[in-house]
Amino acid sequence: MPASKQDRVPLTCPHCGHQQLEPRTAFSSVCKKCGQHLRVQEILRPAHAAVEAVPERKQITCFDCGAVLEVPVSAESTMCKRCSAYIDLKDYRINNAVSKNFKTKGTFVVEAKGYVFNTEVVVGSAVIRGRLHGKLNAEHALTLYSTAEIKGTFKTSRLIIPAENHFRWKEPLAVNSAEIAGEIAADFKAEGTVVLKSTARLFGNVTAKNLVVEEGAVVVGNLRIGGDVALEAR
């Protein structure tokens, strides 16, 4: 029995745009203008368009003017919106001898066989297992392994010594915070918190705003905790 007009709904052909009446419950039809096959229910109830995933983003600061920028995590470079400076965001992994400067907001890794010399390295974070001779500035974190050999100067916001690794440094260190799970022999100041994991062994004097010592950690030296800690520029 033919469908009444009340049971018909206007249907727009997705191919040519022609509009015609079709039964509301129909599954398929043919466009009276272009002759193309029509899937009635799909046209009446289109599937929701897939929501495009928003790329994960992170904040960085421009090397030159200090402007705070938001960039996709996967981006390898960007340009400062304030001063138009080029900013490298790539990660670098060094496995051989290299004599050059590096300046990136990414992660800089010197593997055990890597050797970076006559260099100035300014990076977001650094992991050192090999040799580095020069100047190193790790903005967020610096992780040092037993095989690391640093000759020159370095500074970082957060110093990390992983478990079963050791590090010795003759000059006083200045950091914002530190997480020690291995062994460190050095004097250092921290504006923030020093965390000594249960496997930590600390030989040296520490001045810090806060100190967290897990059960099992060994401390040999003087501790001065609390109050404001002024770090000397290095």
Side-chain angles (χ1 to χ4, degrees):
M1 180 177 179
S4 65
K5 291 185 178 180
Q6 289 78 8
D7 295 326
R8 293 174 177 267
V9 292
L11 193 74
T12 302
C13 175
H15 307 288
C16 70
H18 172 71
Q19 192 173 78
Q20 62 191 49
L21 292 175
E22 294 291 344
R24 187 186 302 275
T25 57
F27 288 99
S28 65
S29 184
V30 174
C31 178
K32 295 177 181 178
K33 183 176 182 181
C34 68
Q36 293 289 329
H37 179 259
L38 304 179
R39 298 178 183 273
V40 176
Q41 296 305 315
E42 289 184 8
I43 296 173
L44 292 177
R45 301 182 182 85
H48 293 292
V51 178
E52 186 174 347
V54 177
E56 186 179 355
R57 303 179 75 83
K58 63 180 178 180
Q59 283 191 342
I60 63 167
T61 55
C62 175
F63 285 116
D64 295 340
C65 71
V68 178
L69 309 171
E70 278 201 353
V71 298
V73 171
S74 59
E76 294 191 343
S77 66
T78 190
M79 184 171 290
C80 179
K81 296 179 180 178
R82 179 190 292 175
C83 69
S84 299
Y86 171 82
I87 304 173
D88 189 359
L89 304 174
K90 293 192 294 292
D91 297 334
Y92 291 88
R93 188 176 296 273
I94 310 300
N95 288 290
N96 51 10
V98 176
S99 177
K100 62 177 288 187
N101 295 332
F102 293 88
K103 192 174 185 179
T104 179
K105 290 293 180 176
T107 300
F108 181 77
V109 180
V110 181
E111 297 291 4
K113 294 182 179 180
Y115 177 26
V116 184
F117 59 98
N118 296 333
T119 186
E120 183 172 353
V121 176
V122 182
V123 295
S125 296
V127 178
I128 310 298
R129 296 184 178 91
R131 293 186 291 169
L132 187 145
H133 295 182
K135 296 180 180 179
L136 170 62
N137 182 355
E139 181 181 359
H140 299 299
L142 170 61
T143 303
L144 297 173
Y145 287 79
S146 299
T147 51
E149 178 188 300
I150 298 179
K151 290 185 178 180
T153 62
F154 71 87
K155 63 179 181 179
T156 185
S157 176
R158 184 166 179 249
L159 177 65
I160 301 172
I161 309 297
E164 300 181 355
N165 287 271
H166 61 266
F167 178 71
R168 289 168 174 76
W169 196 253
K170 294 181 180 180
E171 299 178 9
L173 300 176
V175 297
N176 287 334
S177 64
E179 181 180 307
I180 311 300
E183 178 182 307
I184 184 169
D187 297 334
F188 60 93
K189 292 182 178 181
E191 284 185 322
T193 301
V194 174
V195 177
L196 300 178
K197 297 291 189 178
S198 61
T199 54
R201 293 169 60 87
L202 168 64
F203 299 92
N205 303 317
V206 175
T207 301
K209 186 173 183 179
N210 300 297
L211 176 67
V212 177
V213 182
E214 294 184 359
E215 184 178 356
V218 175
V219 180
V220 179
N222 298 319
L223 303 177
R224 184 180 175 184
I225 310 302
D228 296 328
V229 179
L231 301 184
E232 297 179 1
R234 294 179 57 81

